[in-house]
Tab-separated table of all heavy atoms in Angstrom:
chain	number	residue	atom	x	y	z
A	1	MET	N	-15.892	-5.203	-18.507
A	1	MET	CA	-14.462	-5.167	-18.378
A	1	MET	C	-14.046	-5.938	-17.129
A	1	MET	O	-14.611	-5.758	-16.056
A	1	MET	CB	-14.001	-3.713	-18.282
A	1	MET	CG	-12.509	-3.559	-18.254
A	1	MET	SD	-12.080	-1.811	-18.518
A	1	MET	CE	-10.896	-1.613	-17.242
A	2	MET	N	-13.057	-6.808	-17.263
A	2	MET	CA	-12.602	-7.616	-16.138
A	2	MET	C	-11.688	-6.805	-15.228
A	2	MET	O	-10.817	-6.090	-15.697
A	2	MET	CB	-11.849	-8.851	-16.641
A	2	MET	CG	-11.352	-9.738	-15.511
A	2	MET	SD	-10.515	-11.206	-16.120
A	2	MET	CE	-11.920	-12.205	-16.503
A	3	ARG	N	-11.914	-6.900	-13.922
A	3	ARG	CA	-11.040	-6.234	-12.962
A	3	ARG	C	-9.720	-6.973	-12.873
A	3	ARG	O	-9.668	-8.184	-13.006
A	3	ARG	CB	-11.701	-6.219	-11.585
A	3	ARG	CG	-12.917	-5.349	-11.533
A	3	ARG	CD	-13.603	-5.406	-10.200
A	3	ARG	NE	-12.665	-5.257	-9.122
A	3	ARG	CZ	-12.865	-5.720	-7.892
A	3	ARG	NH1	-13.964	-6.362	-7.608
A	3	ARG	NH2	-11.973	-5.546	-6.955
A	4	THR	N	-8.648	-6.226	-12.637
A	4	THR	CA	-7.339	-6.850	-12.486
A	4	THR	C	-6.666	-6.365	-11.212
A	4	THR	O	-6.977	-5.300	-10.687
A	4	THR	CB	-6.413	-6.541	-13.674
A	4	THR	OG1	-6.196	-5.140	-13.741
A	4	THR	CG2	-6.996	-7.046	-14.983
A	5	PHE	N	-5.747	-7.153	-10.735
A	5	PHE	CA	-4.934	-6.831	-9.559
A	5	PHE	C	-3.510	-7.120	-9.952
A	5	PHE	O	-3.138	-8.263	-10.176
A	5	PHE	CB	-5.377	-7.679	-8.364
A	5	PHE	CG	-4.598	-7.429	-7.118
A	5	PHE	CD1	-4.771	-6.251	-6.415
A	5	PHE	CD2	-3.704	-8.354	-6.650
A	5	PHE	CE1	-4.062	-6.011	-5.260
A	5	PHE	CE2	-2.988	-8.131	-5.500
A	5	PHE	CZ	-3.168	-6.957	-4.796
A	6	PHE	N	-2.700	-6.078	-10.091
A	6	PHE	CA	-1.318	-6.212	-10.559
A	6	PHE	C	-1.263	-6.984	-11.877
A	6	PHE	O	-0.427	-7.846	-12.085
A	6	PHE	CB	-0.433	-6.865	-9.508
A	6	PHE	CG	-0.206	-6.009	-8.305
A	6	PHE	CD1	-0.830	-6.283	-7.113
A	6	PHE	CD2	0.634	-4.911	-8.375
A	6	PHE	CE1	-0.622	-5.485	-6.001
A	6	PHE	CE2	0.842	-4.108	-7.266
A	6	PHE	CZ	0.214	-4.393	-6.079
A	7	GLY	N	-2.207	-6.677	-12.756
A	7	GLY	CA	-2.213	-7.277	-14.079
A	7	GLY	C	-2.827	-8.666	-14.143
A	7	GLY	O	-2.943	-9.244	-15.215
A	8	MET	N	-3.226	-9.225	-13.022
A	8	MET	CA	-3.825	-10.556	-12.985
A	8	MET	C	-5.340	-10.413	-12.868
A	8	MET	O	-5.820	-9.563	-12.129
A	8	MET	CB	-3.306	-11.357	-11.786
A	8	MET	CG	-1.796	-11.510	-11.758
A	8	MET	SD	-1.161	-12.508	-13.091
A	8	MET	CE	-1.825	-14.088	-12.655
A	9	PRO	N	-6.097	-11.224	-13.582
A	9	PRO	CA	-7.563	-11.145	-13.479
A	9	PRO	C	-8.029	-11.452	-12.055
A	9	PRO	O	-7.462	-12.297	-11.369
A	9	PRO	CB	-8.051	-12.232	-14.439
A	9	PRO	CG	-6.880	-12.631	-15.253
A	9	PRO	CD	-5.650	-12.242	-14.506
A	10	CYS	N	-9.047	-10.728	-11.614
A	10	CYS	CA	-9.633	-10.967	-10.293
A	10	CYS	C	-10.920	-11.766	-10.463
A	10	CYS	O	-11.743	-11.445	-11.310
A	10	CYS	CB	-9.968	-9.647	-9.613
A	10	CYS	SG	-8.543	-8.671	-9.191
A	11	ARG	N	-11.062	-12.768	-9.646
A	11	ARG	CA	-12.298	-13.552	-9.647
A	11	ARG	C	-13.166	-13.087	-8.499
A	11	ARG	O	-12.677	-12.741	-7.438
A	11	ARG	CB	-11.992	-15.031	-9.476
A	11	ARG	CG	-11.357	-15.637	-10.696
A	11	ARG	CD	-11.183	-17.111	-10.496
A	11	ARG	NE	-9.837	-17.288	-9.952
A	11	ARG	CZ	-9.421	-18.356	-9.321
A	11	ARG	NH1	-10.216	-19.354	-9.117
A	11	ARG	NH2	-8.194	-18.442	-8.873
A	12	LYS	N	-14.463	-13.103	-8.718
A	12	LYS	CA	-15.384	-12.794	-7.633
A	12	LYS	C	-15.473	-14.016	-6.734
A	12	LYS	O	-15.759	-15.117	-7.192
A	12	LYS	CB	-16.758	-12.428	-8.179
A	12	LYS	CG	-16.765	-11.115	-8.918
A	12	LYS	CD	-18.153	-10.760	-9.374
A	12	LYS	CE	-18.112	-9.433	-10.108
A	12	LYS	NZ	-19.431	-9.032	-10.565
A	13	THR	N	-15.177	-13.810	-5.444
A	13	THR	CA	-15.254	-14.896	-4.486
A	13	THR	C	-15.975	-14.414	-3.235
A	13	THR	O	-16.237	-13.225	-3.078
A	13	THR	CB	-13.848	-15.387	-4.074
A	13	THR	OG1	-13.204	-14.351	-3.340
A	13	THR	CG2	-13.009	-15.776	-5.275
A	14	ALA	N	-16.242	-15.318	-2.359
A	14	ALA	CA	-16.871	-14.982	-1.083
A	14	ALA	C	-15.822	-14.610	-0.038
A	14	ALA	O	-16.152	-14.367	1.102
A	14	ALA	CB	-17.699	-16.172	-0.593
A	15	ARG	N	-14.567	-14.543	-0.413
A	15	ARG	CA	-13.501	-14.219	0.529
A	15	ARG	C	-13.551	-12.746	0.916
A	15	ARG	O	-13.939	-11.893	0.143
A	15	ARG	CB	-12.144	-14.520	-0.079
A	15	ARG	CG	-11.954	-15.980	-0.348
A	15	ARG	CD	-10.605	-16.230	-0.942
A	15	ARG	NE	-10.516	-17.614	-1.359
A	15	ARG	CZ	-9.542	-18.117	-2.045
A	15	ARG	NH1	-8.539	-17.347	-2.415
A	15	ARG	NH2	-9.528	-19.375	-2.380
A	16	SER	N	-13.081	-12.470	2.131
A	16	SER	CA	-13.031	-11.101	2.626
A	16	SER	C	-11.718	-10.447	2.224
A	16	SER	O	-10.697	-11.120	2.104
A	16	SER	CB	-13.136	-11.097	4.150
A	16	SER	OG	-14.352	-11.656	4.556
A	17	PRO	N	-11.716	-9.131	2.061
A	17	PRO	CA	-10.459	-8.442	1.754
A	17	PRO	C	-9.517	-8.455	2.956
A	17	PRO	O	-9.941	-8.674	4.097
A	17	PRO	CB	-10.905	-7.024	1.425
A	17	PRO	CG	-12.248	-6.874	2.037
A	17	PRO	CD	-12.855	-8.243	2.091
A	18	LEU	N	-8.238	-8.211	2.696
A	18	LEU	CA	-7.215	-8.212	3.740
A	18	LEU	C	-7.582	-7.295	4.896
A	18	LEU	O	-7.370	-7.645	6.056
A	18	LEU	CB	-5.868	-7.785	3.148
A	18	LEU	CG	-4.697	-7.675	4.094
A	18	LEU	CD1	-4.391	-9.022	4.735
A	18	LEU	CD2	-3.479	-7.141	3.377
A	19	CYS	N	-8.156	-6.143	4.624
A	19	CYS	CA	-8.470	-5.185	5.684
A	19	CYS	C	-9.432	-5.760	6.721
A	19	CYS	O	-9.407	-5.351	7.879
A	19	CYS	CB	-9.006	-3.885	5.106
A	19	CYS	SG	-10.553	-4.049	4.218
A	20	SER	N	-10.253	-6.719	6.340
A	20	SER	CA	-11.172	-7.312	7.312
A	20	SER	C	-10.433	-8.192	8.317
A	20	SER	O	-10.907	-8.411	9.427
A	20	SER	CB	-12.258	-8.122	6.605
A	20	SER	OG	-11.706	-9.272	5.996
A	21	LEU	N	-9.259	-8.670	7.943
A	21	LEU	CA	-8.450	-9.488	8.866
A	21	LEU	C	-7.513	-8.658	9.723
A	21	LEU	O	-7.151	-9.051	10.812
A	21	LEU	CB	-7.609	-10.495	8.061
A	21	LEU	CG	-8.368	-11.494	7.219
A	21	LEU	CD1	-7.400	-12.294	6.356
A	21	LEU	CD2	-9.191	-12.407	8.102
A	22	THR	N	-7.111	-7.497	9.217
A	22	THR	CA	-6.090	-6.698	9.888
A	22	THR	C	-6.633	-5.439	10.538
A	22	THR	O	-5.852	-4.644	11.066
A	22	THR	CB	-5.003	-6.276	8.879
A	22	THR	OG1	-5.600	-5.450	7.883
A	22	THR	CG2	-4.336	-7.470	8.239
A	23	GLY	N	-7.924	-5.217	10.493
A	23	GLY	CA	-8.482	-3.996	11.053
A	23	GLY	C	-8.079	-2.768	10.254
A	23	GLY	O	-7.839	-1.710	10.818
A	24	ASP	N	-7.979	-2.912	8.961
A	24	ASP	CA	-7.625	-1.839	8.021
A	24	ASP	C	-6.152	-1.446	8.060
A	24	ASP	O	-5.762	-0.473	7.444
A	24	ASP	CB	-8.478	-0.588	8.233
A	24	ASP	CG	-9.914	-0.793	7.797
A	24	ASP	OD1	-10.142	-1.638	6.912
A	24	ASP	OD2	-10.800	-0.117	8.327
A	25	ILE	N	-5.314	-2.171	8.780
A	25	ILE	CA	-3.891	-1.828	8.862
A	25	ILE	C	-3.058	-3.007	8.375
A	25	ILE	O	-3.276	-4.141	8.786
A	25	ILE	CB	-3.479	-1.493	10.309
A	25	ILE	CG1	-4.243	-0.264	10.790
A	25	ILE	CG2	-1.977	-1.278	10.414
A	25	ILE	CD1	-4.047	0.034	12.252
A	26	HIS	N	-2.117	-2.723	7.484
A	26	HIS	CA	-1.108	-3.709	7.115
A	26	HIS	C	0.161	-2.961	6.739
A	26	HIS	O	0.141	-1.765	6.516
A	26	HIS	CB	-1.585	-4.647	6.001
A	26	HIS	CG	-1.880	-3.990	4.709
A	26	HIS	ND1	-3.093	-3.425	4.406
A	26	HIS	CD2	-1.103	-3.801	3.627
A	26	HIS	CE1	-3.051	-2.920	3.202
A	26	HIS	NE2	-1.854	-3.113	2.695
A	27	LEU	N	1.268	-3.650	6.742
A	27	LEU	CA	2.574	-3.016	6.597
A	27	LEU	C	3.227	-3.338	5.265
A	27	LEU	O	2.997	-4.391	4.693
A	27	LEU	CB	3.506	-3.481	7.721
A	27	LEU	CG	2.986	-3.294	9.139
A	27	LEU	CD1	3.966	-3.899	10.130
A	27	LEU	CD2	2.736	-1.837	9.445
A	28	HIS	N	4.052	-2.420	4.819
A	28	HIS	CA	4.881	-2.600	3.635
A	28	HIS	C	6.286	-2.155	3.980
A	28	HIS	O	6.484	-1.315	4.848
A	28	HIS	CB	4.372	-1.754	2.457
A	28	HIS	CG	3.039	-2.179	1.955
A	28	HIS	ND1	2.900	-3.096	0.942
A	28	HIS	CD2	1.787	-1.830	2.330
A	28	HIS	CE1	1.605	-3.278	0.712
A	28	HIS	NE2	0.918	-2.527	1.541
A	29	THR	N	7.265	-2.688	3.297
A	29	THR	CA	8.649	-2.260	3.456
A	29	THR	C	9.003	-1.350	2.291
A	29	THR	O	8.748	-1.684	1.141
A	29	THR	CB	9.597	-3.476	3.472
A	29	THR	OG1	9.217	-4.321	4.557
A	29	THR	CG2	11.037	-3.047	3.633
A	30	LEU	N	9.585	-0.214	2.608
A	30	LEU	CA	9.969	0.764	1.600
A	30	LEU	C	11.490	0.813	1.522
A	30	LEU	O	12.159	1.000	2.532
A	30	LEU	CB	9.419	2.143	1.992
A	30	LEU	CG	9.806	3.321	1.109
A	30	LEU	CD1	9.201	3.149	-0.277
A	30	LEU	CD2	9.342	4.612	1.743
A	31	VAL	N	12.025	0.609	0.321
A	31	VAL	CA	13.469	0.692	0.097
A	31	VAL	C	13.695	1.743	-0.986
A	31	VAL	O	13.116	1.656	-2.064
A	31	VAL	CB	14.042	-0.665	-0.349
A	31	VAL	CG1	15.527	-0.562	-0.623
A	31	VAL	CG2	13.756	-1.735	0.691
A	32	CYS	N	14.526	2.732	-0.680
A	32	CYS	CA	14.816	3.818	-1.624
A	32	CYS	C	16.321	3.903	-1.846
A	32	CYS	O	17.101	3.649	-0.931
A	32	CYS	CB	14.315	5.146	-1.075
A	32	CYS	SG	12.534	5.208	-0.901
A	33	PRO	N	16.726	4.298	-3.054
A	33	PRO	CA	18.152	4.375	-3.358
A	33	PRO	C	18.874	5.531	-2.668
A	33	PRO	O	20.090	5.515	-2.558
A	33	PRO	CB	18.202	4.523	-4.876
A	33	PRO	CG	16.876	5.055	-5.250
A	33	PRO	CD	15.898	4.559	-4.229
A	34	ASP	N	18.112	6.549	-2.204
A	34	ASP	CA	18.757	7.668	-1.515
A	34	ASP	C	17.741	8.383	-0.624
A	34	ASP	O	16.536	8.178	-0.734
A	34	ASP	CB	19.407	8.638	-2.509
A	34	ASP	CG	18.430	9.160	-3.540
A	34	ASP	OD1	17.424	9.783	-3.143
A	34	ASP	OD2	18.669	8.948	-4.740
A	35	GLU	N	18.246	9.229	0.276
A	35	GLU	CA	17.398	9.915	1.248
A	35	GLU	C	16.436	10.909	0.593
A	35	GLU	O	15.318	11.095	1.074
A	35	GLU	CB	18.262	10.629	2.290
A	35	GLU	CG	18.951	9.675	3.262
A	35	GLU	CD	17.957	8.888	4.108
A	35	GLU	OE1	16.964	9.470	4.600
A	35	GLU	OE2	18.181	7.671	4.280
A	36	ALA	N	16.847	11.540	-0.496
A	36	ALA	CA	15.969	12.508	-1.169
A	36	ALA	C	14.718	11.821	-1.712
A	36	ALA	O	13.602	12.337	-1.562
A	36	ALA	CB	16.722	13.210	-2.294
A	37	ARG	N	14.896	10.679	-2.333
A	37	ARG	CA	13.724	9.949	-2.862
A	37	ARG	C	12.862	9.422	-1.724
A	37	ARG	O	11.636	9.442	-1.802
A	37	ARG	CB	14.171	8.812	-3.760
A	37	ARG	CG	14.721	9.320	-5.064
A	37	ARG	CD	15.063	8.196	-5.966
A	37	ARG	NE	16.348	8.449	-6.612
A	37	ARG	CZ	16.805	7.785	-7.624
A	37	ARG	NH1	16.114	6.785	-8.125
A	37	ARG	NH2	17.964	8.082	-8.166
A	38	LYS	N	13.510	8.953	-0.668
A	38	LYS	CA	12.763	8.475	0.499
A	38	LYS	C	11.894	9.596	1.061
A	38	LYS	O	10.719	9.389	1.359
A	38	LYS	CB	13.731	7.972	1.566
A	38	LYS	CG	13.057	7.526	2.836
A	38	LYS	CD	14.096	7.095	3.856
A	38	LYS	CE	13.473	6.846	5.201
A	38	LYS	NZ	14.489	6.550	6.220
A	39	ALA	N	12.462	10.793	1.171
A	39	ALA	CA	11.713	11.934	1.695
A	39	ALA	C	10.519	12.271	0.810
A	39	ALA	O	9.424	12.564	1.313
A	39	ALA	CB	12.636	13.145	1.829
A	40	ARG	N	10.694	12.232	-0.522
A	40	ARG	CA	9.582	12.520	-1.443
A	40	ARG	C	8.471	11.486	-1.324
A	40	ARG	O	7.285	11.827	-1.302
A	40	ARG	CB	10.091	12.592	-2.881
A	40	ARG	CG	10.861	13.855	-3.194
A	40	ARG	CD	11.022	14.091	-4.691
A	40	ARG	NE	11.561	12.956	-5.417
A	40	ARG	CZ	12.846	12.772	-5.723
A	40	ARG	NH1	13.744	13.662	-5.355
A	40	ARG	NH2	13.233	11.720	-6.398
A	41	VAL	N	8.858	10.218	-1.238
A	41	VAL	CA	7.852	9.155	-1.136
A	41	VAL	C	7.096	9.268	0.183
A	41	VAL	O	5.867	9.196	0.221
A	41	VAL	CB	8.511	7.762	-1.271
A	41	VAL	CG1	7.538	6.662	-0.908
A	41	VAL	CG2	9.049	7.563	-2.676
A	42	LEU	N	7.820	9.459	1.279
A	42	LEU	CA	7.165	9.576	2.580
A	42	LEU	C	6.258	10.797	2.651
A	42	LEU	O	5.167	10.733	3.222
A	42	LEU	CB	8.201	9.613	3.700
A	42	LEU	CG	8.948	8.305	3.935
A	42	LEU	CD1	10.011	8.485	5.013
A	42	LEU	CD2	8.000	7.177	4.300
A	43	ALA	N	6.674	11.903	2.049
A	43	ALA	CA	5.832	13.101	2.024
A	43	ALA	C	4.538	12.837	1.259
A	43	ALA	O	3.456	13.249	1.691
A	43	ALA	CB	6.593	14.266	1.411
A	44	ALA	N	4.635	12.148	0.130
A	44	ALA	CA	3.441	11.834	-0.660
A	44	ALA	C	2.514	10.890	0.099
A	44	ALA	O	1.288	11.080	0.100
A	44	ALA	CB	3.846	11.226	-2.000
A	45	LEU	N	3.071	9.890	0.760
A	45	LEU	CA	2.250	8.957	1.533
A	45	LEU	C	1.586	9.651	2.719
A	45	LEU	O	0.418	9.410	3.024
A	45	LEU	CB	3.100	7.779	2.016
A	45	LEU	CG	3.591	6.823	0.934
A	45	LEU	CD1	4.591	5.840	1.519
A	45	LEU	CD2	2.428	6.099	0.279
A	46	GLU	N	2.338	10.534	3.366
A	46	GLU	CA	1.780	11.284	4.495
A	46	GLU	C	0.654	12.209	4.026
A	46	GLU	O	-0.380	12.314	4.680
A	46	GLU	CB	2.884	12.085	5.170
A	46	GLU	CG	2.429	12.759	6.449
A	46	GLU	CD	3.584	13.366	7.210
A	46	GLU	OE1	4.521	13.894	6.575
A	46	GLU	OE2	3.541	13.318	8.441
A	47	GLU	N	0.838	12.856	2.891
A	47	GLU	CA	-0.181	13.749	2.345
A	47	GLU	C	-1.487	13.001	2.080
A	47	GLU	O	-2.571	13.532	2.275
A	47	GLU	CB	0.333	14.371	1.048
A	47	GLU	CG	-0.617	15.376	0.439
A	47	GLU	CD	-0.041	15.985	-0.825
A	47	GLU	OE1	1.073	16.536	-0.763
A	47	GLU	OE2	-0.716	15.894	-1.869
A	48	LYS	N	-1.384	11.742	1.647
A	48	LYS	CA	-2.566	10.921	1.391
A	48	LYS	C	-3.174	10.337	2.665
A	48	LYS	O	-4.243	9.739	2.629
A	48	LYS	CB	-2.203	9.761	0.456
A	48	LYS	CG	-1.773	10.195	-0.915
A	48	LYS	CD	-2.964	10.486	-1.764
A	48	LYS	CE	-2.516	10.724	-3.199
A	48	LYS	NZ	-3.629	11.049	-4.054
A	49	GLY	N	-2.450	10.471	3.790
A	49	GLY	CA	-2.958	9.931	5.053
A	49	GLY	C	-2.700	8.448	5.232
A	49	GLY	O	-3.404	7.782	5.976
A	50	TYR	N	-1.683	7.918	4.547
A	50	TYR	CA	-1.404	6.485	4.597
A	50	TYR	C	-0.430	6.077	5.693
A	50	TYR	O	-0.246	4.884	5.922
A	50	TYR	CB	-0.844	5.998	3.262
A	50	TYR	CG	-1.812	6.095	2.105
A	50	TYR	CD1	-1.346	6.287	0.822
A	50	TYR	CD2	-3.177	5.988	2.284
A	50	TYR	CE1	-2.214	6.364	-0.258
A	50	TYR	CE2	-4.043	6.077	1.227
A	50	TYR	CZ	-3.561	6.254	-0.046
A	50	TYR	OH	-4.417	6.323	-1.098
A	51	LEU	N	0.215	7.016	6.365
A	51	LEU	CA	1.222	6.670	7.369
A	51	LEU	C	0.635	6.776	8.766
A	51	LEU	O	-0.123	7.681	9.075
A	51	LEU	CB	2.432	7.602	7.254
A	51	LEU	CG	3.146	7.597	5.910
A	51	LEU	CD1	4.332	8.538	5.954
A	51	LEU	CD2	3.597	6.198	5.538
A	52	MET	N	1.016	5.828	9.596
A	52	MET	CA	0.543	5.822	10.981
A	52	MET	C	1.738	5.610	11.903
A	52	MET	O	2.481	4.651	11.752
A	52	MET	CB	-0.452	4.683	11.197
A	52	MET	CG	-1.723	4.828	10.421
A	52	MET	SD	-2.849	3.461	10.721
A	52	MET	CE	-3.071	3.578	12.483
A	53	GLY	N	1.931	6.490	12.845
A	53	GLY	CA	2.931	6.297	13.870
A	53	GLY	C	4.362	6.265	13.368
A	53	GLY	O	5.199	5.620	13.973
A	54	LEU	N	4.648	6.931	12.275
A	54	LEU	CA	5.998	6.938	11.730
A	54	LEU	C	6.815	7.996	12.454
A	54	LEU	O	6.439	9.150	12.509
A	54	LEU	CB	5.979	7.240	10.235
A	54	LEU	CG	7.330	7.274	9.554
A	54	LEU	CD1	7.928	5.858	9.497
A	54	LEU	CD2	7.223	7.845	8.159
A	55	GLU	N	7.921	7.568	13.011
A	55	GLU	CA	8.849	8.523	13.636
A	55	GLU	C	9.796	9.034	12.582
A	55	GLU	O	10.363	8.271	11.834
A	55	GLU	CB	9.618	7.836	14.754
A	55	GLU	CG	8.742	7.459	15.919
A	55	GLU	CD	9.544	6.871	17.062
A	55	GLU	OE1	10.707	7.238	17.215
A	55	GLU	OE2	8.975	6.032	17.764
A	56	LYS	N	9.957	10.346	12.534
A	56	LYS	CA	10.829	10.937	11.523
A	56	LYS	C	12.197	11.190	12.078
A	56	LYS	O	12.422	11.401	13.208
A	56	LYS	CB	10.228	12.221	10.999
A	56	LYS	CG	8.959	11.958	10.249
A	56	LYS	CD	8.401	13.224	9.692
A	56	LYS	CE	7.142	12.889	8.932
A	56	LYS	NZ	6.517	13.991	8.348
């Protein structure tokens, strides 16, 4: 079975993953239509341990 990334086939290459360049840290922008959804998303991300240094 071929691996995919966002629905696109992944090729095996000698390239390093992004985490090797960023020290395992990279940023995303989160946009939510309202504060309730933002709170649910942030709670889920925090529960998984994905947030670092976020001021509430």
Side-chain angles (χ1 to χ4, degrees):
M1 185 167 134
M2 180 178 280
R3 292 177 47 205
T4 62
F5 180 72
F6 292 106
M8 303 293 293
C10 293
R11 289 184 267 161
K12 292 183 180 180
T13 67
R15 295 180 188 172
S16 299
L18 178 61
C19 63
S20 68
L21 299 173
T22 63
D24 289 333
I25 297 172
H26 63 274
L27 306 176
H28 294 269
T29 301
L30 176 66
V31 178
C32 295
D34 56 59
E35 288 297 317
R37 288 184 223 193
K38 177 182 171 185
R40 286 196 308 265
V41 169
L42 291 177
L45 291 171
E46 187 171 37
E47 183 179 304
K48 296 279 188 182
Y50 295 151
L51 301 181
M52 295 180 59
L54 180 69
E55 293 184 30
K56 294 182 179 180

